[in-house]
């Protein structure tokens, strides 16, 4: 049973790891009106694995390279490429009854993504145009975006406005299907210097999507063809003069038309140490409610699927169930001569159904853990 | 849906007005030594953020919030 | 609920406008204005604008933590060297709150021109400096010829040409 289903479930995760929020032109810091002084070349390796008790693990190895350079003090070009590959079995509870055939159609479980952006800097702001492309055997995603920032004369307030259009093409390996998904997003943000040690950012974003949201690798899955969501992101960075360290707090509220609400809180603290070392411990708390059409595990039938009303929308995807998660992380970086920087980061994330603060969790789901390590090397020039 | 939107707009309005009101205590350009430190910017390590946001958006229902654009995701 | 929200938004917009208004009201020295005088501690004794009277003075406000400022130092060294004989004097006013930071910077980036220290920020305030670095070119008559915000490679030629013109015009 395992081998066939595990390869296909792996694909689900592969598809899951498509570009997504990857290379968004994020709302810029306080000095959005100045072109970067230096260019940068960076490389980063990611090793990811997840697990559930007594279930095989999935592994992802990813490599990304970024090059950014200022041009004539007024422009900046930023290019990022990513290559990732997925191996191993899915840890997912529901993969046990994956009965779909067609595993032989699978191509390599790799994803290639490219992201390009060009920014023009003006005395009072900046304008960024970006495009991104991501490809795997069953999923192609294309996106274009435009974002502008305007700073107040004091440079203490920056207002950011952005928009993007994303078109995805889905061609599952297991069924004869070609479908699309189109997503329009808009962002409004304000960055404000509060004091010489505090800076705050509030981003409001709205996304409207239409198309194929169903998971083709799940035999019992039927989702609406519309999904709109709204997020409010608040960030606050504070500098401690006593320790010369900085805390970085963020809170995000998310609500979508699947009926999911979520809260994300994250806290990081960056402490510079002697010899150009920096230490960054972090914690992240997450909690979500279930989608309206999520069908919980029925202990009577488990591990067989619960009874489902096939008239409406339904999913057994645990990612659309109610749960909470806690991540603990640590990042260490060291700067060497000639602007070389080496960094290593480790995160351990635990997902538990009973940590859902905004709804009752699905007690039929097994605990789920993720471990990821990143190793980076970069040089400014 | 409308209710959510109103709540969101209200939250945004509140936060930004608090923000701007206290922002009136203007910080001068020559007082931005601490704000100029890389850890005080919101951008951070781009490749790190890329991986991290990616992992979470594929393992959780929520995504987005810090920017616009980017490729779509077959996740959920 | 909706009414209250509207009020909040209106309040938010109003405060925002007030803020922007208030901050842009801070007086900035414009070309044609008399350059505000100053007397500040330097590397060797006090530095005043008055003692440079009769020269064309390039007043540069900089900080140790500002990247473009670092880039401007070698260029200002060249500039001072090249136009010293024609009567150019560069005074770089450091605005670090801790002058030790500035001294550390100067150890790595030696300055072949006059450096003054203003940890209290009185001078940049009187000049209405809007960003780091900002420079003012003061003519032999003590009046400001131009103001320049920021520094990057693209600015070099333009600034140098303006300086050359000022040196020639007032010979």
């Amino acid at each position: 049973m395992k081998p066939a289903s595990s390869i296909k479930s792996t694909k689900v995760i592969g598809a899951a790891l498509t570009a997504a929020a990857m290379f968004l032109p994020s709302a810029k810091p306080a000095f959005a009106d100045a072109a970067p002084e230096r260019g940068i070349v960076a490389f980063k390796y990611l090793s990811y694995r997840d697990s559930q008790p007594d279930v095989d693990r999935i592994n992802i190895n990813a490599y990304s390279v970024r090059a950014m350079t200022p041009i004539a003090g007024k422009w900046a070009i930023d290019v990022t490429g990513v290559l990732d590959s997925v191996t191993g079995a899915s840890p997912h509870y529901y993969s046990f009854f994956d009965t779909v055939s067609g595993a032989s159609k699978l191509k390599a479980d790799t994803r290639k993504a490219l992201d390009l952006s060009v920014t023009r800097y003006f005395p009072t702001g900046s304008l960024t145009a970006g495009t991104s492309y991501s490809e795997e055997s069953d999923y192609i995603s294309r996106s274009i975006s435009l974002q502008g920032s305007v700073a107040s004369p004091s440079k203490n307030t920056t207002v950011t406005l952005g928009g993007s259009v994303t078109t995805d093409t889905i061609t599952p390996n297991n069924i004869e299907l070609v479908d699309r998904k189109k997503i329009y997003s808009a962002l409004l943000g304000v960055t404000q210097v509060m004091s010489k040690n505090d800076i705050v950012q509030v981003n409001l974003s709205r996304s409207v999507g239409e198309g194929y949201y169903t998971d083709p690798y799940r035999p019992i899955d039927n989702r609406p063809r519309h999904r709109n969501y709204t997020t409010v992101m608040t960030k606050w960075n504070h500098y401690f003069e006593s320790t010369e360290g900085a805390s970085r707090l963020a809170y995000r509220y998310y609500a979508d038309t699947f009926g999911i609400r979520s809260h994300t809180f994250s806290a990081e603290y960056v402490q510079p140490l002697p010899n150009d070392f920096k230490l960054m411990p972090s914690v992240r708390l997450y909690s979500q409610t279930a989608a309206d059409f999520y069908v919980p595990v029925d202990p009577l039938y488990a591990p067989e699927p619960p009874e489902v009303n096939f008239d409406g929308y339904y999913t057994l995807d645990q990612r659309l169930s109610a749960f909470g998660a806690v991540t603990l992380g640590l990042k260490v970086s060291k700067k060497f001569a000639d602007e070389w920087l080496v960094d290593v980061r480790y995160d351990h994330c635990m997902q538990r159904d009973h940590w859902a603060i905004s709804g009752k969790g699905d007690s039929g789901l097994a605990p789920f853990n993720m471990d990821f390590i990143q190793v980076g090397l970069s040089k400014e020039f | 849906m409308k209710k959510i939107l109103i709540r969101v707009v209200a939250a945004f309005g509140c936060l930004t007005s608090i923000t701007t009101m206290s922002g009136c205590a203007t910080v001068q350009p020559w007082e931005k030594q601490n704000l100029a430190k890389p850890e005080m910017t919101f951008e951070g390590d781009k490749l790190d953020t890329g991986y991290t946001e990616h992992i979470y958006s594929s393992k959780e229902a929520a995504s987005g919030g810090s920017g616009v654009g980017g490729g779509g995701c077959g996740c959920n | 609920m909706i009414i209250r929200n509207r009020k909040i938004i209106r309040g938010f917009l109003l405060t925002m406008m007030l803020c922007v208004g208030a901050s842009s009201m801070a007086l900035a020295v414009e070309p044609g204005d008399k350059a505000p005088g100053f007397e500040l501690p330097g590397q060797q004794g006090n530095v005043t604008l008055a003692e440079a009277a009769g020269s064309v003075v390039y007043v540069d406000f900089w900080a140790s933590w500002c990247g473009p400022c670092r880039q401007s130092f070698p260029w200002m060294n060249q500039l001072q060297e090249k136009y010293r004989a024609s009567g150019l004097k560069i005074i770089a006013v450091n605005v670090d709150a801790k002058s030790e930071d500035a001294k550390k910077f100067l150890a790595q980036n030696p300055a072949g021109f006059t450096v003054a220290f203003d940890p209290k920020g009185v001078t940049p305030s009187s000049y209405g400096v809007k960003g780091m670095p900002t420079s003012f070119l003061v003519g032999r008559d003590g009046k400001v010829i131009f103001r320049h915000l920021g520094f990057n490679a693209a600015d070099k030629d333009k600034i140098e040409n303006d300086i050359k013109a000022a040196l020639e015009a007032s010979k």
Side-chain angles (χ1 to χ4, degrees):
Chain A
M1 165 193 75
K2 270 299 176 54
S5 73
S6 63
I7 295 167
K8 262 170 275 131
S9 324
T10 293
K11 273 316 292 175
V12 176
I13 310 299
L17 277 176
T18 321
M22 192 117 196
F23 308 115
L24 315 174
S26 55
K28 288 271 164 61
F31 314 104
D33 53 319
E37 301 129 32
R38 293 166 187 260
I40 187 168
V41 174
F43 167 80
K44 193 148 281 183
Y45 165 71
L46 165 76
S47 170
Y48 166 96
R49 63 169 33 190
D50 57 33
S51 60
Q52 281 180 307
D54 309 322
V55 186
D56 290 350
R57 289 156 185 262
I58 187 171
N59 282 294
I60 296 168
N61 288 299
Y63 309 87
S64 57
V65 179
R66 175 186 178 215
M68 185 278 290
T69 183
I71 296 170
K74 285 177 181 165
W75 297 84
I77 293 183
D78 202 334
V79 188
T80 303
V82 185
L83 188 69
D84 66 37
S85 61
V86 186
T87 52
S90 163
H92 180 225
Y93 182 79
Y94 285 113
S95 65
F96 292 132
F97 54 85
D98 191 339
T99 55
V100 189
S101 61
S104 59
K105 277 191 194 168
L106 278 178
K107 293 166 202 152
D109 301 9
T110 59
R111 181 177 71 96
K112 287 170 256 175
L114 196 70
D115 179 75
L116 171 74
S117 76
V118 178
T119 303
R120 170 75 162 95
Y121 295 87
F122 300 96
T124 55
S126 66
L127 194 63
T128 301
T131 179
S132 65
Y133 177 82
S134 162
E135 184 191 275
E136 53 201 297
S137 68
D138 57 355
Y139 208 100
I140 291 174
S141 179
R142 294 179 179 87
S143 170
I144 51 165
S145 66
L146 192 67
Q147 180 161 299
S149 286
V150 180
S152 69
S154 66
K155 310 261 189 282
N156 286 331
T157 310
T158 304
V159 177
T160 303
L161 198 64
S164 72
V165 184
T166 304
T167 311
D168 296 351
T169 308
I170 304 117
T171 50
N173 297 309
N174 57 334
I175 44 172
E176 286 300 318
L177 173 79
V178 178
D179 210 332
R180 281 170 191 279
K181 186 156 76 182
K182 196 150 199 171
I183 300 164
Y184 297 90
S185 299
L187 171 114
L188 171 66
V190 177
T191 306
Q192 176 69 45
V193 169
M194 307 288 283
S195 79
K196 50 183 192 155
N197 292 324
D198 295 275
I199 183 162
V200 167
Q201 185 176 77
V202 183
N203 288 332
L204 174 64
S205 75
R206 173 97 180 122
S207 184
V208 176
E210 188 178 359
Y212 190 76
Y213 282 97
T214 296
D215 187 334
Y217 300 103
R218 290 171 193 271
I220 304 177
D221 202 79
N222 183 31
R223 307 180 190 187
R225 288 188 67 86
H226 290 273
R227 190 183 194 183
N228 302 344
Y229 69 82
T230 303
T231 60
V232 183
M233 174 78 103
T234 314
K235 295 179 181 179
W236 171 31
N237 293 352
H238 176 74
Y239 184 79
F240 294 88
E241 288 192 344
S242 52
T243 60
E244 298 184 346
S247 64
R248 300 152 56 84
L249 303 179
Y251 167 76
R252 178 186 69 183
Y253 174 75
Y254 168 97
D256 71 15
T257 50
F258 281 8
I260 294 164
R261 309 278 174 271
S262 88
H263 304 277
T264 313
F265 173 78
S266 69
E268 300 171 348
Y269 177 77
V270 186
Q271 180 61 56
L273 295 169
N275 298 317
D276 290 319
F277 274 101
K278 270 183 193 173
L279 202 62
M280 188 186 83
S282 60
V283 59
R284 179 182 186 273
L285 308 174
Y286 176 83
S287 181
Q288 73 178 46
T289 63
D292 295 335
F293 50 90
Y294 174 74
V295 185
V297 175
D298 190 333
L300 277 181
Y301 298 100
E304 292 302 311
E307 277 189 71
V308 169
N309 173 11
F310 290 100
D311 291 338
Y313 298 118
Y314 44 87
T315 184
L316 307 180
D317 187 346
Q318 86 284 0
R319 289 171 299 184
L320 302 187
S321 70
F323 67 86
V326 175
T327 308
L328 297 173
L330 184 67
K331 184 174 182 172
V332 182
S333 71
K334 177 167 166 60
K335 203 164 205 168
F336 292 91
D338 300 321
E339 307 299 327
W340 282 94
L341 183 84
V342 175
D343 57 72
V344 179
R345 173 173 177 155
Y346 170 67
D347 285 274
H348 178 69
C349 175
M350 297 155 278
Q351 282 187 3
R352 302 289 183 271
D353 56 358
H354 57 272
W355 288 346
I357 53 165
S358 45
K360 240 177 104 185
D362 185 345
S363 56
L365 288 177
F368 178 77
N369 291 332
M370 303 190 267
D371 287 284
F372 42 109
I373 296 169
Q374 299 180 44
V375 182
L377 177 68
S378 69
K379 180 178 164 53
E380 290 189 349
F381 58 87
Chain B
M1 195 57 233
K2 210 169 174 189
K3 225 170 154 189
I4 301 164
L5 206 72
I6 287 166
R7 221 183 295 159
V8 162
V9 168
F12 186 71
C14 275
L15 284 164
T16 35
S17 39
I18 291 164
T19 297
T20 26
M21 260 188 272
S22 22
C24 275
T26 309
V27 176
Q28 300 296 345
W30 52 91
E31 295 174 331
K32 292 185 178 170
Q33 172 162 28
N34 300 338
L35 296 169
K37 293 182 191 290
E39 53 268 32
M40 287 296 284
T41 67
F42 290 113
E43 210 176 29
D45 179 342
K46 220 182 150 191
L47 297 181
D48 181 335
T49 314
Y51 281 142
T52 310
E53 285 189 358
H54 201 98
I55 288 168
Y56 289 125
S57 66
S58 60
K59 294 294 177 188
E60 298 170 346
S63 64
S66 37
V68 291
C73 164
C75 9
N76 47 58
Chain C
M1 186 67 185
I2 295 172
I3 293 168
R4 207 176 63 202
N5 289 332
R6 283 213 182 121
K7 265 188 193 159
I8 290 167
I9 293 164
R10 209 171 296 156
F12 155 61
L13 287 174
L14 202 71
T15 28
M16 209 169 165
M17 276 187 258
L18 281 172
C19 277
V20 172
S23 52
S24 58
M25 266 190 284
L27 277 180
V29 173
E30 300 291 339
D33 293 351
K34 190 157 172 41
F38 53 80
E39 180 169 1
L40 297 167
Q43 286 176 300
Q44 293 103 25
N46 278 10
V47 177
T48 66
L49 182 63
E51 76 198 17
S55 301
V56 170
V57 190
Y58 185 74
V59 182
D60 180 69
F61 293 95
W62 66 281
S64 67
W65 43 266
C66 142
C69 302
R70 187 180 298 268
Q71 291 186 324
S72 74
F73 262 59
W75 174 79
M76 286 199 292
N77 279 334
Q78 282 173 18
L79 206 64
Q80 180 64 88
E81 201 53 46
K82 198 166 164 188
Y83 297 105
R84 192 187 304 276
S86 327
L88 176 72
K89 188 172 162 82
I90 296 178
I91 302 177
V93 179
N94 172 265
V95 296
D96 274 273
K98 290 184 215 143
S99 293
E100 310 92 80
D101 292 342
K103 279 162 190 159
K104 244 182 266 169
F105 176 98
L106 288 167
Q108 290 167 4
N109 304 273
F113 42 84
T114 308
V115 177
F117 302 98
D118 188 358
K120 296 249 186 297
V122 179
T123 327
S125 185
S126 68
Y127 276 77
V129 168
K130 291 272 183 267
M132 284 294 120
T134 296
S135 61
F136 294 84
L137 189 67
V138 183
R140 295 187 210 265
D141 58 358
K143 283 185 180 161
V144 172
I145 297 168
F146 75 76
R147 176 184 56 195
H148 187 84
L149 173 61
F151 180 82
N152 63 55
D155 299 336
K156 289 180 186 173
D157 291 346
K158 164 127 190 29
I159 298 175
E160 187 172 345
N161 285 338
D162 286 350
I163 290 174
K164 231 192 283 180
L167 287 167
E168 278 161 16
S170 54
K171 243 175 211 165

